[in-house]
Amino acid sequence: LAGGVGHELRNPLGAIKNAAYFLNMVVDTPDRETKEMLDLLEREVAKTERIVSDLLDFARVKSPFRHKVAINQTIHAALSLIETPDNIQVTSLLAEDLPDLLADPGQLEQIFSNIILNGIQAMPEGGQLTIETRLDNPQWLAVAITDTGSGISPVILAKIFEPLFTTKAKGIGLGLAIIKTLVEGHGGTITASSAGAPGRGSTFTVRLPLQSTGKGE
């Protein structure tokens, strides 16, 4: 259903996007109201395109295309994709001399950039985001991302990775479900923990095997 809806929406969305682009090109000096409407049209199309992309990603998660990956380098790449607000301090506690993973670098960047972005969004008044990499044992590498936001209640925590579950005003609740699928495709696990109290925040921990397990080998 997700894949079918996504594909069916892409064509009309493309037509609307092209029409908006055409109008922007032919209207040389639009009045203020017309300009606002054209800008609104472009923003809403972009928002809908992101929803369609989430639907398609959920419907057809690709098997990882594995390379040797340095996890700390991947964390830096994920951070570079996100504009961090001035009121949020990012602390990186990246262990040295970690062994390489056999993993899909693009998928790992998607996993960590989404978790980092969620952590930032959990701190609208500012706070601290801590990213830690460590060797759990000789077979597993862990990445823990902790925010100092309002925390997550036990009821929500139990459902947080379920498809279509969301507490946000925007979005359709597929982000963490997709992340979970990508992590499991690498043979790994993802868990969330929270004190459930303001300022205590939440921690998302991704554990990845150092040996090549899971799909896409």
Side-chain angles (χ1 to χ4, degrees):
L1 177 61
V5 169
H7 283 296
E8 290 299 323
L9 284 176
R10 269 202 162 164
N11 286 338
L13 270 178
I16 295 170
K17 187 175 183 178
N18 289 337
Y21 177 79
F22 173 77
L23 290 173
N24 269 315
M25 292 292 291
V26 298
V27 180
D28 292 330
T29 55
D31 57 50
R32 183 177 60 83
E33 186 176 0
T34 301
K35 181 72 168 98
E36 288 177 356
M37 290 299 102
L38 288 172
D39 290 343
L40 175 65
L41 182 59
E42 288 188 344
R43 288 198 305 272
E44 293 304 308
V45 167
K47 185 191 302 181
T48 309
E49 283 183 327
R50 288 194 295 272
I51 293 173
V52 170
S53 293
D54 282 347
L55 284 168
L56 292 174
D57 286 344
F58 179 68
R60 57 176 194 201
V61 174
K62 297 178 181 178
S63 296
F65 188 63
R66 299 176 186 270
H67 304 274
K68 282 189 176 181
V69 176
I71 194 66
N72 290 347
Q73 184 177 340
T74 303
I75 295 297
H76 288 305
L79 280 169
S80 71
L81 299 174
I82 298 168
E83 185 176 349
T84 305
D86 293 336
N87 61 355
I88 291 179
Q89 178 184 355
V90 178
T91 301
S92 298
L93 305 175
L94 308 182
E96 298 180 358
D97 300 325
L98 292 172
D100 288 341
L101 289 167
L102 196 59
D104 187 315
Q107 290 189 6
L108 291 189
E109 286 180 25
Q110 181 180 350
I111 291 165
F112 297 127
S113 62
N114 274 276
I115 298 174
I116 290 168
L117 184 58
N118 283 345
I120 290 173
Q121 292 174 346
M123 301 181 287
E125 305 302 321
Q128 180 167 314
L129 187 77
T130 303
I131 305 171
E132 178 189 5
T133 59
R134 63 178 186 267
L135 195 63
D136 261 9
N137 60 48
Q139 283 77 43
W140 290 87
L141 189 151
V143 179
I145 300 173
T146 303
D147 64 69
T148 56
S150 58
I152 306 170
S153 72
V155 174
I156 294 176
L157 205 59
K159 300 179 179 179
I160 201 165
F161 294 108
E162 292 181 7
L164 305 180
F165 176 81
T166 182
T167 59
K168 298 179 181 179
K170 298 179 181 180
I172 56 174
L174 286 177
L176 286 174
I178 293 171
I179 288 171
K180 183 173 184 288
T181 303
L182 293 175
V183 171
E184 291 177 347
H186 282 81
T189 63
I190 180 170
T191 57
S193 60
S194 178
R200 302 287 296 275
S202 308
T203 299
F204 285 80
T205 303
V206 175
R207 297 177 73 246
L208 296 166
L210 290 172
Q211 300 298 321
S212 177
T213 60
K215 299 175 183 178
E217 298 176 39

